Amino acid sequence: MDSLTDWEETKTILQDLEELYQQNQDAERVGECIQLRDSITATYSEATDSVQDLIRNFSKEVDVLKQKAEELAGQPSSNPEIEELKSKIKQCGERYTEQQHHEKDIEAEVEALEKKMESLQLEQEELEKKAAASVPLMQHLLSLYANITKIKWDFSSESVAGVVSDAEGKGVVRQFDYSLENHTSFELANNIW
């Protein structure tokens, strides 16, 4: 019975192999690779030819410009073209020097502004430290004053307004609302007390 099972397995393996050999996916991939290689080779050849043509054209232009330079060098220095070119070269040199000076001025200004910004940042940090130290103290003092005086201020009002409470803070003794325009700070303090 083992031989029958072995034979069946062998037939199955042979069928699988036959199917595998009938497939031509690998051949198609190889064909695609060959086409891609040919395409790349053609593109490379075209690019190489194009670059060689550019080099030839630039070489011709350089030769023409060399001839013009030799012709101009042989001419007397009073040639108007040469004088004009010398003038332009001089003007360009002057503008370049001006730009360098202007650039140095801007760099100095930027450096000065950076130093000023650093000092302002240090000053800001110092003020923030002072504020961080004084804010809790101020909050404590305001809380202490509010507890002692039993005054609750109305900060939404545009005038000096609020309520004075009794000693336990349960009932309202009186409300006040004084205009800043009609009273001095001394009168305001006396009226509230």
Side-chain angles (χ1 to χ4, degrees), residues 9 14-15 61 69-70 75 98 106 123 129 147 161 192:
E9 284 181 28
L14 286 173
Q15 286 174 350
E61 286 183 40
E70 289 172 1
Q75 293 180 359
E98 288 175 17
I106 289 174
E123 186 178 334
K129 286 178 185 177
N147 284 332
I192 292 172

Side-chain angles (χ1 to χ4, degrees), residues 22-36:
Q22 288 178 354
Q23 294 177 359
N24 58 356
Q25 291 174 347
D26 291 335
E28 289 174 3
R29 286 185 187 157
V30 168
E32 289 173 2
C33 287
I34 290 171
Q35 287 177 348
L36 185 59

Side-chain angles (χ1 to χ4, degrees), residues 43-108:
T43 304
Y44 176 76
S45 295
E46 289 174 13
T48 303
D49 292 342
S50 175
V51 169
Q52 288 174 352
D53 289 341
L54 285 174
I55 290 172
R56 278 190 220 106
N57 290 336
F58 284 136
S59 295
K60 287 178 185 176
E61 286 183 40
V62 166
D63 291 339
V64 168
L65 290 174
K66 279 183 182 177
Q67 285 178 346
K68 284 185 180 179
E70 289 172 1
E71 289 172 7
L72 287 176
Q75 293 180 359
S77 63
S78 63
N79 187 341
E81 288 179 33
I82 293 175
E83 295 300 322
E84 183 181 340
L85 289 174
K86 285 181 181 178
S87 172
K88 286 182 180 179
I89 290 171
K90 185 178 178 183
Q91 290 174 355
C92 288
E94 291 171 357
R95 278 188 268 159
Y96 178 73
T97 304
E98 288 175 17
Q99 289 298 324
Q100 282 182 324
H101 291 300
H102 184 66
E103 185 178 338
K104 287 179 183 177
D105 292 343
I106 289 174
E107 286 175 359

Side-chain angles (χ1 to χ4, degrees), residues 18 127 144:
E18 185 179 354
L127 288 173
L144 181 66

Side-chain angles (χ1 to χ4, degrees), residues 3 41 70 74 78 106 110 145:
S3 64
T41 303
E70 289 172 1
S78 63
I106 289 174
V110 165
Y145 292 147

Side-chain angles (χ1 to χ4, degrees), residues 118-134:
E118 286 176 16
S119 69
L120 288 173
Q121 285 176 339
L122 290 174
E123 186 178 334
Q124 179 185 4
E125 288 173 6
E126 189 175 311
L127 288 173
E128 286 174 355
K129 286 178 185 177
K130 286 180 181 178
S134 65

